[in-house]
Each structure stands twice: as C-alpha cells, then as structure tokens.
Amino acid sequence: MRKQLYPLRLHLTGSHEINYSVINSLTLPMQPSNQTGGPPIPAYKAEFLESCLSANVLTFGTYTLKSGRQSPYFFNAGSFHDADLLSAIAIAYAHTIIDFLAAHPEIPQPQVLFGPAYKGIPLACCTLLELRRIDRDTWGKVRYSFNRKEKKDHGEGGGIVGAALRDTEVLVLDDVITAGTAMRETIELVNKEAGRVIGFVVAVDRMEKMPSASDDDGLPRPSAMGQIRKEYRVPTASIVTLNDLIELLRSQGDEKDMARLQDYKSRYLASD
C-alpha cells in the first residue's frame, strides 16, 4: 500500500525568493474559478509557478512554436540551471508523481525513472533524489536511465545510459509535450529495450489540440497527451496545466496576459 505524503513548503533564497503573498492567495480556500472550473492550486504547484516566474522559466509575450502557432506564453525547463531552481522542479515533479500514483492504484510501482535526452536527463535524476528524500523505503532502490541521441560504438556501447530497461516498469519524465513525437519515440525506444512505459509525467500540459494542415479550421482534435493515452493506453500527468497559468495570472491581477491565455485556450483547446 502506497503512503499518502503531503508536500513540504519550499523556501528559495537570493534572486529566486518566492512572493508568498501570491502563494497564499492561490492556496487559501476559495470558490472554484468559473473560467477554469478547477479547485484551488496546491501549495507545491503555486511554489513551482512562482519559481518559474522568478527565473523567467515561464514568460508571457508572443512566441512562435514549432507548430507555427503564436503562443502567449513560453516554458523553458532548460533555465532550471542552478541548485535552488533544480530543487524547486524536483519537489514539484516528486509530489506530482506521488499524487499521480495515489490516484491510479492500478499503475505498478516504477522501477526506473527515464529522462529522454536532453532536457529529461536532469529531471529524472533530481526527481529521483527528491523522491528518495521523501520516502526512502519506497524509492531508495528505484533507478534512473536516459538515452543517447547517437548510439555509442565503444566502451560499454549501446544507446541507454544508467539502468537497463529490460523487464522493468518505466515512468517517463519530460518537460512539455506539444506534438507528441518525442513521446512516441520514447515509448518505441523503451519497448525496443523490452521495458514497459507505465506513465508519462510532464511539467506543463498545454491542453491544446494537435496541429493540422489548416490549424484554424475550428475542428475538434485531441491533445498530444490525449492521443498518446488513447493510442498506447499510457496514463499521463503534469505538474501544472494551462488552467493553472490562467489562475496564477488572475491571482496577480494581470488581466491583459490572462485574457490572452484565455483567448488562446478558446482557440486551441483540445477535445479530450
């Protein structure tokens, strides 16, 4: 039986100090938002978002995505490159995984955390350390692994670094999924190594439908994560969603950026 654990408060210092007035406004009991329809944001999510804002990991403006869409926000996990920020994202991933497994008791205990190259590599490593810190009995012997972009033909060789994937239950960690190409490649890679992907956990669920040749056709389509769930029957989770970002901006009184995110959501919201 899995232990139900609760997040500890995160205190960042120096240039990444958290604005706790914002966190308190997000975590105090309140009526669900009519726009997002969700419950108040948990403390670890709020603290994660604040650390993202303080380090410009999460920014608002106009950004051209690989799909060609003009997004009003951008998330760059590669900017988590100091110890305080790495701790912040590890705590958020760890508690998301704990909640994810508690909500899905049918999912077996992961034996390997897999981080797809390149951004997934530090995510898997730091998250596993945080999970062990929280619950050593459960996570102390769980391993991590990642892939090489190019197979090594000398030394130990092969395309996998870290734990072997054969006959293991694999939980995959990545930053953001847009088109789903990387998710498919990871599932195929793990399958080829005779492992089994039991779930995907990402930092941000953009909640947007998959691109098409005519992206403004107005037709309903699933998200990349939704398509993966349907196609491979692999459950997914995220630290935050687009709804959480909208709720954050509402709590800060940023009506302009909030309206831009709401407009983007109404235009590209996935059908799943």
Side-chain angles (χ1 to χ4, degrees), residues 8 12 23 27 35 64 77 79 108 119 121 129 134 136 148 160 165 171 178 185 205 210 212 215 217 224 239 244:
L8 301 175
L12 299 182
I23 291 175
T27 56
Q35 283 79 6
T64 302
S79 294
K119 289 182 180 178
I121 297 172
L129 285 173
I134 294 171
R136 183 173 181 175
R148 292 188 174 99
I160 300 296
L165 303 180
L171 182 64
T178 303
E185 290 175 350
D205 180 359
M210 296 176 68
S212 69
D215 211 27
D217 55 18
I239 299 173
D244 293 324

Coordinates of all heavy atoms in Angstrom, one line a residue, residues 8 12 23 27 35 64 77 79 108 119 121 129 134 136 148 160 165 171 178 185 205 210 212 215 217 224 239 244:
L8 N 6.0 19.5 1.5 CA 6.6 20.5 2.4 C 6.7 21.8 1.7 O 6.9 21.9 0.5 CB 8.0 20.0 2.9 CG 8.0 18.6 3.6 CD1 9.4 18.2 3.8 CD2 7.2 18.7 4.9
L12 N 12.9 29.3 -1.3 CA 14.1 29.7 -2.1 C 14.6 31.0 -1.6 O 13.9 31.8 -1.0 CB 13.6 29.9 -3.6 CG 13.0 28.6 -4.2 CD1 12.7 28.9 -5.7 CD2 14.0 27.5 -4.2
I23 N 1.4 33.2 -3.3 CA 1.1 31.8 -3.0 C -0.1 31.6 -2.0 O -1.0 30.8 -2.2 CB 2.3 31.1 -2.3 CG1 3.4 31.0 -3.4 CG2 2.0 29.8 -1.7 CD1 4.7 30.5 -2.8
T27 N -3.5 29.4 -2.4 CA -3.8 28.2 -1.7 C -4.8 28.4 -0.6 O -5.2 27.4 0.0 CB -2.4 27.8 -1.0 OG1 -1.9 28.9 -0.2 CG2 -1.4 27.4 -2.0
Q35 N -13.9 30.3 -14.9 CA -13.2 30.2 -16.1 C -12.5 28.8 -16.2 O -12.5 28.2 -17.2 CB -12.2 31.3 -16.3 CG -12.8 32.6 -16.7 CD -13.5 33.4 -15.6 OE1 -13.4 33.0 -14.4 NE2 -14.2 34.5 -15.9
T64 N 6.6 32.1 -31.2 CA 6.3 31.2 -32.3 C 6.7 29.8 -32.0 O 7.9 29.5 -31.7 CB 7.0 31.6 -33.6 OG1 6.6 32.9 -34.0 CG2 6.6 30.7 -34.8
A77 N 12.3 24.6 -19.6 CA 12.9 23.9 -18.5 C 14.4 23.9 -18.5 O 15.0 23.7 -17.4 CB 12.4 22.4 -18.6
S79 N 16.1 26.4 -18.3 CA 16.5 27.5 -17.5 C 16.6 27.1 -16.0 O 17.0 28.0 -15.1 CB 15.6 28.7 -17.6 OG 15.7 29.2 -18.9
P108 N 1.6 0.0 -11.5 CA 2.6 -0.6 -10.7 C 3.7 0.4 -10.2 O 3.9 1.5 -10.8 CB 3.3 -1.7 -11.5 CG 3.0 -1.2 -12.9 CD 1.7 -0.5 -12.9
K119 N 16.7 17.3 -22.2 CA 16.1 18.0 -21.0 C 15.5 17.0 -20.0 O 15.5 17.4 -18.8 CB 15.0 19.0 -21.5 CG 15.6 20.2 -22.2 CD 14.5 21.2 -22.5 CE 15.0 22.4 -23.3 NZ 14.0 23.4 -23.7
I121 N 16.9 14.4 -18.9 CA 18.0 13.7 -18.1 C 18.1 14.3 -16.7 O 18.0 13.6 -15.7 CB 19.4 13.8 -18.8 CG1 19.3 13.0 -20.2 CG2 20.5 13.3 -18.0 CD1 20.5 13.2 -21.1
L129 N 16.1 11.7 -6.6 CA 16.8 12.1 -5.4 C 15.7 12.6 -4.4 O 15.8 12.3 -3.2 CB 17.9 13.1 -5.6 CG 19.2 12.5 -6.2 CD1 20.2 13.6 -6.5 CD2 19.9 11.5 -5.2
I134 N 12.0 12.0 0.4 CA 10.6 12.0 0.9 C 10.3 10.6 1.5 O 9.7 10.5 2.6 CB 9.6 12.3 -0.2 CG1 9.8 13.8 -0.6 CG2 8.2 12.1 0.3 CD1 9.0 14.2 -1.8
R136 N 12.3 7.0 1.6 CA 13.4 6.1 1.2 C 13.0 4.7 1.1 O 13.5 4.0 0.2 CB 14.5 6.3 2.3 CG 15.8 5.4 2.0 CD 16.9 5.7 3.0 NE 18.1 5.0 2.7 CZ 19.2 5.1 3.3 NH1 19.3 5.9 4.3 NH2 20.3 4.3 3.0
R148 N 21.0 8.0 -25.3 CA 21.9 8.8 -26.1 C 21.2 9.1 -27.4 O 20.5 8.4 -27.9 CB 23.2 8.0 -26.4 CG 24.1 7.7 -25.2 CD 25.4 7.1 -25.7 NE 26.3 6.9 -24.6 CZ 26.6 5.8 -24.0 NH1 25.9 4.7 -24.3 NH2 27.4 5.7 -23.0
I160 N 21.6 3.3 -24.3 CA 21.0 3.6 -23.0 C 22.1 3.8 -22.0 O 23.0 3.0 -21.9 CB 20.1 2.5 -22.5 CG1 18.9 2.3 -23.5 CG2 19.5 2.8 -21.1 CD1 18.0 3.5 -23.7
L165 N 16.7 -1.3 -19.2 CA 15.2 -1.2 -19.2 C 14.5 -2.6 -19.4 O 13.3 -2.7 -19.2 CB 14.8 -0.3 -20.4 CG 15.3 1.1 -20.3 CD1 14.8 1.9 -21.5 CD2 15.0 1.8 -19.0
L171 N 8.7 4.8 -15.7 CA 8.0 6.1 -15.6 C 8.8 7.2 -16.3 O 10.0 7.4 -16.0 CB 7.7 6.5 -14.2 CG 6.9 7.8 -14.0 CD1 5.5 7.6 -14.6 CD2 6.8 8.1 -12.5
T178 N 4.1 18.9 -27.0 CA 3.2 19.6 -27.9 C 2.7 18.7 -29.0 O 1.5 18.6 -29.1 CB 4.0 20.8 -28.6 OG1 4.6 21.6 -27.5 CG2 3.1 21.7 -29.4
E185 N 8.5 8.4 -29.7 CA 9.8 7.9 -29.9 C 10.3 7.2 -28.6 O 11.0 6.2 -28.6 CB 10.8 9.0 -30.2 CG 10.6 9.5 -31.7 CD 11.4 10.7 -32.0 OE1 12.0 11.3 -31.0 OE2 11.5 11.1 -33.2
D205 N 1.1 20.9 -19.1 CA 0.1 20.4 -20.0 C -0.5 21.6 -20.7 O -1.2 22.3 -20.1 CB -0.9 19.5 -19.3 CG -2.0 19.0 -20.3 OD1 -1.9 19.3 -21.5 OD2 -2.9 18.3 -19.8
M210 N -3.8 19.0 -31.2 CA -2.7 18.8 -32.1 C -2.9 19.6 -33.3 O -4.0 19.9 -33.8 CB -2.6 17.3 -32.4 CG -2.4 16.4 -31.2 SD -2.4 14.6 -31.7 CE -1.0 14.5 -32.7
S212 N -2.8 20.8 -37.3 CA -3.2 20.2 -38.5 C -2.7 21.1 -39.7 O -2.2 22.1 -39.5 CB -4.8 20.1 -38.6 OG -5.3 21.4 -38.7
D215 N -4.6 24.9 -39.4 CA -4.7 24.9 -38.0 C -5.9 25.8 -37.5 O -6.3 25.6 -36.3 CB -3.4 25.5 -37.4 CG -3.1 24.9 -36.0 OD1 -3.6 23.7 -35.8 OD2 -2.5 25.5 -35.2
D217 N -9.0 25.6 -38.6 CA -10.2 25.0 -39.2 C -11.3 24.9 -38.2 O -12.5 24.7 -38.6 CB -9.9 23.6 -39.8 CG -9.3 22.7 -38.8 OD1 -9.3 22.9 -37.6 OD2 -8.7 21.7 -39.2
A224 N -1.8 16.2 -27.8 CA -0.8 15.1 -28.0 C -0.9 14.1 -26.9 O -0.8 12.9 -27.1 CB 0.5 15.8 -28.1
I239 N 2.6 18.7 -13.8 CA 2.7 19.5 -12.6 C 1.6 20.6 -12.7 O 0.9 20.8 -11.7 CB 4.1 20.1 -12.5 CG1 5.2 19.1 -12.4 CG2 4.1 21.1 -11.2 CD1 6.6 19.6 -12.4
D244 N -4.0 26.3 -14.7 CA -3.2 26.8 -13.6 C -2.5 28.1 -13.9 O -2.4 29.0 -13.1 CB -2.2 25.8 -13.1 CG -2.8 24.5 -12.6 OD1 -3.8 24.6 -11.9 OD2 -2.2 23.4 -12.8

